[in-house]
Each structure stands twice: as C-alpha cells, then as structure tokens.
Amino acid sequence: MYEINSLRYYECAIIGTSFVFSYSSKLNIKPFDIVLVTLRSYPKKAIVLKEIAKPNFKCIDILEIIYSPTKKEIEFMQFISYYYFCSISETAKLFYFQQNQKNLPIKIDTDITLSPPQLQAYNFCKKNQISILFGDTGSGKTEIYIKLIEETLNKNQTALLLLPEIAITSQIEKRLSNHFHSYLGIWHSKITKKKKNEILQDIYDNKIKIVAGARSALFLPFANTGVIVVDEEHDSSYKERQKPYYHARDVALKRAEIENFPIVLVSATPSVETF
C-alpha cells in the first residue's frame, strides 16, 4: 500500500449487501481489498470491486484500508460467490479477516493410545488429503481425530473441528478441554458478541490453536491451518438457511483443497454424496 499524488476512483460494494457505490482515495487500492467507507454518515465495511474512471459527480473518500486478502482467500471467496450464486460482498460478510498473528509453538500430549484398527485409520487420514472416517457410535472415531489434531498443533499449525449443532458442541467441549486446555475455543451463534471478540483476539495472539464450532467457525481468521475435521458430516444442519446458502461441509472441502491441507469427514452413517 502506498499513497499517490492524485485521486483514484473505486467501485465498492457494502459488505453484506448488494449495494455498490463509487468512492475516491489517494491510496493505491487493489480489487478485493476490505476498506472502511462512509455511507449516510455511518462507517461501513466494503469490498473494492475495481478501479474506475473519474465519475461526473463528487465522490466521498475511502476512510482506510482494513485488510488485503491473500490470493487463497480471494479464490475461496470467489468460489463461494460463484457456486452459491451470491455477490462477492454478500460472501465477504462470512469472513473474519485475519490480522498479523504471533507464532508461538506449543507441545500437547493427549495421552491417547490408539488400538491397531484406530492406528490404521489414523495413518490413512494422515496420508490422504480427503478422508472419510466412519464406524458405529462408540467405535473410537473421536480418539482418532483428537490424535490428528494433537499432531497438527505440535507442528505449530492450527486445527478446526466443525460440528453440526450447538448441543453437540456442548457435549464435546469438556472432552476437548481435558486435552487442549486453554488452546481450545468454542464458537457458535449463542456465544455473546463480547466473548466472540475475546476469542478473535486470542486467535490473533495465537493463544487459541483449535476451534470447535458450528458452520461460521469455518470463516475464522486462522493462519497456517493444518487440518479440518467435519464431525457428523451427513447432518443437514451444515446447510445455511440464509444467503449465502452454503453447505459448510462442501465449503470446507474447497478450503482444504485451496490451502492444501487434509480434511477428515466423520460419520457413523456417511451421506451418499460423500461416500
């Protein structure tokens, strides 16, 4: 980012809407940059669509650049926008764009010993970019993906565990806390805004290394993600009922493909399309 001598003009879409307006700036701004603008005297986040010629009307200045997405983040947003037929600004509202993060290595020991069949499944999941881990309830699927998360965190990477419902999140929270302690964050719609801001800050500060949560956890600003686990992948709750009408399991598959890390789909009864 650098300042230029003369004004440039940009077409910007207000995030979460389909409204597009023209703004000016002395800054060199790129398409897909997230910026702060003024709309009806209120500050609003917007995404820059493109640079345009000088309009025949006076434009308000862009207040500041908030964040410049990476190429992978842009590709991810474009996929959701295209695949689920929504504007890029409606897609951008899903994301909590990351800031510069500290990089603090840790050492976790879950003290889990896998049986020979579990170890075979564990090694399969490690070797493959996409894996389906399925077995009857109580067969030990959770222990396998906890060990995968343990290894991921010990490689100084972060992990995401997607769960379909808040009730399931509550059930597994205690179990995960026993293994990952303060490195664990829980994320779903019932968490207060204040608590969400605290979790976001802990992610930026690298205090939280693993998040277990519902659909929206997929868009948290984790850097250096090492694995995504989608538990109960067959559950219809992964489908968002508001625009963008994305399916969290399928979007997680695309994110893992773009960022080139493994993803494990877990179920006692895998969906037909997954199988």
Side-chain angles (χ1 to χ4, degrees):
M1 181 183 68
Y2 61 90
E3 190 169 344
I4 53 182
N5 294 325
S6 58
L7 282 176
R8 288 188 177 184
Y9 298 88
Y10 301 93
E11 197 173 78
C12 303
I14 305 301
I15 287 181
T17 77
S18 56
F19 300 130
V20 177
F21 300 98
S22 299
Y23 289 90
S24 57
S25 180
K26 287 187 176 182
L27 298 174
N28 182 29
I29 303 175
K30 304 184 297 296
F32 302 104
D33 278 357
I34 308 300
V35 296
L36 191 67
V37 300
T38 302
L39 180 63
R40 295 174 183 169
S41 301
Y42 290 97
K44 297 284 186 180
K45 290 182 181 179
I47 185 167
V48 175
L49 302 180
K50 61 183 178 181
E51 186 174 353
I52 58 174
K54 181 180 179 180
N56 57 3
F57 51 83
K58 181 176 175 58
C59 293
I60 300 173
D61 281 349
I62 292 171
L63 298 176
E64 63 175 296
I65 300 174
I66 297 174
Y67 181 71
S68 294
T70 65
K71 289 182 179 180
K72 290 180 179 179
E73 287 171 331
I74 292 171
E75 183 180 354
F76 192 31
M77 284 193 291
Q78 288 178 312
F79 164 77
I80 296 171
S81 175
Y82 173 80
Y83 194 77
Y84 294 103
F85 202 67
C86 58
S87 68
I88 197 73
S89 54
E90 289 170 322
T91 299
K93 77 174 183 179
L94 297 171
F95 289 76
Y96 299 85
F97 292 102
Q98 72 184 47
Q99 302 170 355
N100 292 330
Q101 297 184 5
K102 298 176 182 178
N103 190 17
L104 305 173
I106 61 171
K107 180 63 178 176
I108 295 287
D109 185 0
T110 60
D111 197 29
I112 292 175
T113 301
L114 300 178
S115 66
Q118 285 178 315
L119 187 60
Q120 185 179 5
Y122 169 79
N123 289 329
F124 180 90
C125 293
K126 283 176 59 178
K127 292 176 183 177
N128 291 275
Q129 203 264 323
I130 302 174
S131 305
I132 307 173
L133 180 61
F134 66 98
D136 294 336
T137 302
S139 59
K141 299 185 297 296
T142 304
E143 285 85 356
I144 294 169
Y145 71 64
I146 285 177
K147 287 294 287 185
L148 286 168
I149 292 171
E150 173 193 344
E151 182 181 21
T152 299
L153 269 55
N154 286 335
K155 291 193 296 185
N156 201 23
Q157 295 176 309
T158 54
L160 176 62
L161 170 61
L162 288 183
L163 300 160
E165 297 176 4
I166 295 172
I168 297 176
T169 306
S170 302
Q171 292 169 14
I172 201 169
E173 179 178 358
K174 183 176 181 181
R175 188 171 185 180
L176 293 174
S177 294
N178 289 336
H179 293 299
F180 302 112
H181 313 292
S182 62
Y183 297 115
L184 171 70
I186 301 296
W187 186 273
H188 52 69
S189 59
K190 300 299 183 183
I191 293 177
T192 64
K193 184 177 180 180
K194 179 182 178 181
K195 181 61 177 177
K196 285 186 174 181
N197 287 334
E198 291 174 0
I199 292 171
L200 285 169
Q201 190 59 53
D202 284 344
I203 291 174
Y204 297 143
D205 292 339
N206 214 239
K207 294 178 181 178
I208 287 179
K209 298 275 193 175
I210 168 179
V211 167
R215 290 184 303 266
S216 59
L218 183 60
F219 304 100
L220 289 171
F222 266 141
N224 196 26
T225 305
V227 69
I228 290 180
V229 177
V230 184
D231 205 356
E232 304 294 340
E233 66 81 25
H234 63 276
D235 199 298
S236 61
S237 297
Y238 281 121
K239 179 66 177 177
E240 176 60 68
R241 307 302 176 186
Q242 298 179 355
K243 198 172 184 179
Y245 302 105
Y246 69 92
H247 196 297
R249 177 201 61 211
D250 299 343
V251 172
L253 285 165
K254 187 63 178 181
R255 180 180 168 188
E257 176 191 322
I258 291 171
E259 298 185 33
N260 192 31
F261 58 73
I263 181 169
V264 182
L265 307 179
V266 184
S267 176
T269 54
S271 58
V272 174
E273 60 268 37
T274 293
F275 193 85

